[in-house]
């Protein structure tokens, strides 16, 4: 009795090997696309000094804000098209102009820097930031880096609390 030779393509193990190799190729191409799209996941708006495997930044402005017990609320008025900062606590110079920086969490080209003018209740700038993603917020005087307040405004939210990154003013 003579056996007929069957095609290797009729064997299930061959198809299993083809599918596994194909899945590896497709997965590798997808991972290369994700890794090479240019979005930094750990974007930091500060100047960072890298020494060995540590990253260091100047916390002096945060310490000064904590010593002065500064706190504020930033509010977006979509209806009238402005951003407003209201002081909550601390010793603010109400006549001085402020700079409000809105950082996109991953895309630096979408960052905004607003010059806020003093008003009777706080500071204000005409702007209508997008509400379709989170914002990392930084408030500081328009001249110099005397102090700095930070906060985060989640997607769809129209107000956020700003406070120093340090609790007691000690770096």
């Amino acid at each position: 009795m003579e056996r007929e030779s069957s095609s290797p393509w009729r064997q299930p193990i061959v198809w299993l090997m083809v599918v596994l190799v194909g899945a590896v190729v497709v997965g590798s191409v997808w991972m290369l696309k994700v890794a090479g799209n240019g979005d930094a996941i750990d974007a930091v708006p500060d100047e960072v000094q890298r020494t060995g495997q540590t990253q260091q930044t100047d916390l002096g402005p945060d310490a000064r804000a904590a010593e002065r017990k500064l706190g504020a609320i930033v509010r977006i008025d979509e209806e009238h098209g402005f951003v407003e900062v209201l002081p909550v606590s601390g010793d603010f110079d109400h006549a001085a102009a402020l700079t409000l920086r809105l950082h996109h969490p991953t895309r630096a080209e979408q960052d905004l820097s607003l010059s806020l003018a003093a008003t009777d209740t706080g500071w204000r700038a005409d702007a209508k930031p997008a509400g379709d993603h989170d914002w990392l917020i930084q408030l500081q005087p328009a001249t110099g880096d005397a102090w700095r307040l930070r906060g985060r405004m989640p997607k769809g939210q129209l107000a956020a609390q700003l406070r120093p990154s340090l609790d007691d003013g000690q770096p």
Side-chain angles (χ1 to χ4, degrees), residues 63-130:
R64 287 187 286 281
E67 288 170 1
R68 294 173 61 178
K69 301 187 184 330
L70 298 178
I73 292 176
V74 62
R75 178 178 86 84
I76 298 173
D77 189 327
E78 287 185 333
E79 184 179 333
H80 298 101
F82 64 83
V83 176
E84 184 175 41
V85 173
L86 304 169
V88 174
S89 64
D91 180 27
F92 282 97
D93 180 7
H94 294 282
L98 299 179
T99 299
L100 182 71
R101 293 196 172 117
L102 301 168
H103 298 281
H104 189 282
T106 59
R107 298 178 186 219
E109 68 272 5
Q110 293 186 14
D111 291 355
L112 298 173
S113 182
L114 305 174
S115 296
L116 303 171
T119 65
D120 292 340
T121 58
W123 298 266
R124 182 181 286 188
D126 292 330
K128 196 170 181 182

Side-chain angles (χ1 to χ4, degrees), residues 133-168:
H133 56 79
D134 292 6
W135 285 110
L136 302 174
I137 304 169
Q138 181 174 308
L139 179 69
Q140 63 191 42
T143 57
D145 290 332
W147 52 265
R148 172 175 58 204
L149 298 177
R150 292 187 171 168
R152 182 178 187 98
M153 187 176 299
K155 175 182 175 180
Q157 190 170 311
L158 297 176
Q161 182 180 9
L162 303 177
R163 50 188 170 180
S165 295
L166 301 174
D167 290 333
D168 59 357

